[in-house]
Every structure is written in structure tokens, then in C-alpha cells.
Amino acid sequence: MLVTRFAAAFRRYFPDLLGRRVVVGISGGSDSVALLRLLVTTRQELGVEPLAAHVHHHLRGEEAEGDRSFCEQLATSLAVPFALRHLDPRPPRGVSPEGWWRQERYRLLEEVRQECGGVAVATAHTRDDQAETVLLKVLRGAGPRGVAGVRRRVGAVVRPLLDFRREELRQWLATLAQGWREDVSNTQDRRPRVLVRQEVLPALCRHWPAAVEHLAALAEMLAEDEEVLAALLAQHGTFPTLRGGVPLEGVRSLPPALQRRWLLAVAARLPLGEPPSRRQLDQFLQLLAGGQPAAVDLGRRWVIRRRGEVLELSPPPLAPFAPVAVVPPSQVTLPGGFQARLGVSRPERAGWRVFLSRRCEGSSLAWRSRAPGERLPTTRTSLSAALARAGVPAAWRRGWPVLAADGTMIWAPGVGVAPGWEGGPGGVVAELEEPWQGLDR
């Protein structure tokens, strides 16, 4: 029976979640509806207390509003708490929309988790999703980390349905007379995943009925291999930061399999749309051997380059941007993917953090890039030179975010707070998170 299998799998893979609060990301589709209903059905057995969280994307007009209404009514009917979050569908300049929506969706679900005291965010990825992901990664020339597909657990995110087929979940919902929402775009557009779901995978299954199971099993085996190799690499590898490179010889001396994983580990910390492809991994091995190319673009203009006997990581250039007005408490995403917080704290992810005087609450506040020729108010030192001494990459200095009050800079992250604007622990916390920090999904 499906419910019995679900309970057994949950106990096996997530024993630490038993008896705890878990946030369930629910879109209204059959997979997420099934996940929520399974957790409700097994509530006495597992002790898990689900909270349904829906992220409104504001992309499909009345249809999206219908999704929200359905999810809220479902949660109410099941006596499950419901949380609604709204996503700004406009990605920052230079960021792919799909990657942006995914990142923001997880950020908002994590926000709900922290607010409700939950221990995990559960998403409804199925075995079919896993098979689709493996096929897409292989066809796009992904490396082993990409082909390993959807992980069962990454940080606080868990996927309890990876052992279940979409069709069996729908059949179970039918026995409950439980409906769900259909996203019309999943059948009408020609995105690669839709093509694989509607045409490629069904064609494979007609000839090889166990194709989905085999693809999912391959992903699980590769994921296990990746864990072992990552542990070995953690013992023997050193990694570059934006403040400094690493000796080339230390990476070149690793076996080729660990050289590839070294690059994958570096890329995993960056806001990339995809892990490095097989072609990029091959280019990196040529780079290590001293040949061409001397630099490999990992995507979105993040570059690993050989400079003499050092491997350096370079971020994409950050262009100056228009002021972004804020009122505390606030969290905004600035151009380039920087997360800027005021009166909101996530110290485990903040690269730069200060306390400001409460007088800023009565000022007109805005995040902006530094002005050309701008200087520090105390020493009259060039802000550009001060940022260089703080280790800010040259590619970011022109557009480096600063916080201004009534048009005057009061905090330059990495440099300092303007005189008269310092605050103690009771002041207003200000944080800047660089786009490569805390990216673990």
C-alpha cells in the first residue's frame, strides 16, 4: 500500500524529522497535493506536523490566483496551517528568469521554515522528475554532479517522494476523490523539460518499460559516489575565494577524477544555472596541464583562470545601478544577485554586517552603487582603493553596493560606517550577502 511505503521510506531517510514541524511546498499540482495528504494521513504514525506553504509567482493571472485559492482551501480542509508568500517575477538584470524564480521560491520557503520553527522544507519531486532531470543533464552534456540529479536531501530541503511514480500518486488521490490543479503551460510550451516529459520519456518507456526506474537508480548511485569523492576532496583539496587564489600544483597533483570534482565543488558555491558540463570539465583539465584555454567560463561570467602558478576565481563584472529605496525591516536583491538586508538578520550568511544608529530610521534610505570618485568621509581616501584593500574583486568595485541616508553614504560594506552613524547591539542591523555565499541547493 502506498501509504505504508511512504511511512517506511520517511522513517528510513528522515528519522530526525519524526515528531517535528515540516514546511510542505505546495503548488496545487498532483505531486505536492499528494505529499501534503500523505503527511496528514501518517500524522499519527510519524508525528510530523505539516505546514502548507504556497509561493504566488504572479505570472499566470487568474490561473495563478486559482492555484492560491485551491491551496489555501485544501490546507483549511485538512486542518493544516497555511502560509502564503509572494514572489517578484522580475529577475535582476543578467539573471535567467527560471533560475531566479527557483532561487526565490526556495528562499521564501526557507523564510517560512524559520518563522514557524520548522526543521525542514519538503518538496514533491517524484521518481519521474528524477528520470527527466537525468535525461536532460545527459543530453546537455552535464558532468557527474549534474547527472546525479535531484538529491534526496540538501541542507534543510528534503524530497520524500523520490521513490514514487507520479501516476501512482494520482491514482491514490483518485481513491480519496481529491483533485488538483493543472498548469496549462506544462502541456503547451516547448521548454526542454516539457518536451522530455511529454515525448522523450514516454517513447523510451514504450520500448524499455523500466526506463524511469533505471534512470533514477543511476542518479542515486552517482549521488552516492559524489558524496564519497567529496569527502576525499575535503581532506585533500583547497579552494579559491574571491579574495585569493590557490596554488595550481595542489590541484594538478590530484587524480583526474578529483580534479573534476574540485571544479564541481567550486562551482557548487556559485549562482550558476547548471553545474559545469563535460566540455567545461575537459577544458579545466587542459588548463591544469598548462595548455589552452588558460581560463574557463563556468557560466554567467564566473571564470576560473590560471595566472602563473595560481588558480583564481573571478566574478562577473558588476555595473553601477540606480538607487533602490528601502525601509527597515527589508530584504532586497540587488543587481548581480547581492542580498541586502536592513533590520533583518541572517548572520550565518552575511558576508558584511554592522549595527547602525537608530537615527537612520528617520532618514530616506537607499542601496546604491558607489559614485565615481567617491571618498571616505573621514580620511578622504578613495573608496575604490579602500575596497581593493578590503579584498573586493576589481570586477565588483565600480558597482559595489553602499547604503545611503538622504543621499549620503553611511555604510560601505568591507570599509566601514560613516562617523555619527555607528550603532551598538541595540541599533539597526545591516547586512550584505555576496551572490556566492550560502548557496547550497
Side-chain angles (χ1 to χ4, degrees):
M1 183 180 176
L2 186 141
V3 173
T4 303
R5 286 170 49 216
F6 174 81
F10 199 96
R11 286 182 180 279
R12 175 186 176 188
Y13 294 117
F14 314 114
D16 56 311
L17 304 186
L18 301 178
R20 313 289 294 277
R21 168 76 74 191
V22 172
V23 173
V24 182
I26 178 169
S27 65
S30 60
D31 301 342
S32 62
V33 170
L35 176 57
L36 181 61
R37 292 221 53 159
L38 282 166
L39 286 171
V40 169
T41 302
T42 58
R43 182 160 18 190
Q44 276 195 319
E45 181 179 354
L46 300 178
V48 173
E49 289 296 331
L51 180 148
H54 178 70
V55 177
H56 197 317
H57 289 61
H58 295 278
L59 289 169
R60 298 175 4 258
E62 292 183 4
E63 188 178 353
E65 184 59 25
D67 292 345
R68 179 209 60 75
S69 177
F70 172 85
C71 292
E72 188 169 4
Q73 291 175 23
L74 176 64
T76 300
S77 71
L78 298 174
V80 170
F82 179 75
L84 176 66
R85 291 293 185 273
H86 296 272
L87 184 153
D88 183 349
R90 299 164 298 179
R93 185 176 57 191
V95 177
S96 78
E98 287 189 357
W100 164 254
W101 297 331
R102 179 181 182 277
Q103 176 183 320
E104 284 297 282
R105 189 162 57 244
Y106 277 108
R107 181 183 68 78
L108 291 169
L109 291 173
E110 171 63 14
E111 181 182 283
V112 173
R113 183 190 73 82
Q114 292 192 15
E115 289 181 2
C116 75
V119 294
V121 171
T123 63
H125 292 80
T126 65
R127 182 165 288 182
D128 298 81
D129 292 312
Q130 183 73 288
E132 293 163 9
T133 299
V134 172
L135 271 179
L136 281 169
K137 299 294 187 181
V138 169
L139 294 173
R140 287 169 169 166
R145 184 182 294 270
V147 179
V150 181
R151 304 305 198 274
R152 197 177 297 275
R153 186 171 198 161
V154 180
V157 177
V158 298
R159 280 93 182 205
L161 295 183
L162 281 182
D163 291 341
F164 297 85
R165 296 293 304 273
R166 181 174 297 118
E167 186 56 34
E168 67 176 324
L169 294 171
R170 291 187 170 192
Q171 290 175 3
W172 178 69
L173 290 176
T175 67
L176 305 176
Q178 173 65 64
W180 60 83
R181 299 280 293 177
E182 291 284 4
D183 183 348
V184 177
S185 67
N186 285 336
T187 59
Q188 290 183 344
D189 71 28
R190 303 301 292 172
R191 285 176 297 172
R193 181 171 291 274
V194 176
L195 180 65
V196 167
R197 178 174 297 175
Q198 298 292 328
E199 299 182 23
V200 178
L201 197 53
L204 289 174
C205 289
R206 283 195 294 271
H207 295 280
W208 295 278
V212 169
E213 283 73 14
H214 293 330
L215 289 166
L218 171 63
E220 189 162 0
M221 287 188 291
L222 284 173
E224 292 172 355
D225 291 348
E226 283 295 309
E227 286 186 15
V228 172
L229 289 168
L232 288 173
L233 192 59
Q235 297 174 12
H236 303 290
T238 56
F239 301 95
T241 69
L242 297 183
R243 272 65 178 167
V246 298
L248 175 66
E249 185 55 36
V251 181
R252 188 161 49 198
S253 63
L254 296 171
L258 289 183
Q259 291 176 351
R260 295 187 185 94
R261 265 65 180 192
W262 183 91
L263 185 64
L264 291 168
V266 171
R269 302 183 65 211
L270 306 177
L272 306 178
E274 297 284 346
S277 66
R278 179 175 52 80
R279 178 172 175 271
Q280 289 167 313
L281 292 171
D282 288 343
Q283 289 177 335
F284 180 64
L285 295 190
Q286 295 169 16
L287 178 153
L288 291 178
Q292 294 298 320
V296 178
D297 190 329
L298 303 178
R300 297 183 181 174
R301 302 179 74 181
W302 287 86
V303 176
I304 191 82
R305 62 167 40 91
R306 182 187 69 232
R307 197 182 298 276
E309 290 301 308
V310 175
L311 285 173
E312 295 181 347
L313 178 64
S314 299
L318 180 63
F321 59 91
V324 178
V326 290
V327 176
S330 67
Q331 174 169 317
V332 295
T333 302
L334 302 177
F338 289 80
Q339 294 290 325
R341 292 182 283 272
L342 196 60
V344 178
S345 182
R346 296 192 65 185
E348 77 281 4
R349 295 180 65 152
W352 310 100
R353 185 171 188 258
V354 296
F355 287 95
L356 301 172
S357 167
R358 290 212 167 267
R359 63 184 281 212
C360 70
E361 294 176 326
S363 304
S364 177
L365 300 172
W367 294 96
R368 62 168 174 82
S369 50
R370 70 172 185 88
E374 195 163 18
R375 296 180 176 274
L376 299 177
T378 49
T379 64
R380 307 308 298 167
T381 302
S382 161
L383 181 54
S384 178
L387 291 173
R389 287 198 298 271
V392 174
W396 279 354
R397 290 175 207 156
R398 283 184 63 234
W400 186 249
V402 300
L403 182 64
D406 300 321
T408 301
M409 179 179 65
I410 62 171
W411 178 42
V415 177
V417 178
W421 291 93
E422 306 94 336
V428 178
V429 64
E431 296 177 349
L432 182 70
E433 177 185 328
E434 295 177 8
W436 62 283
Q437 293 171 323
L439 296 173
D440 55 1
R441 296 184 178 84

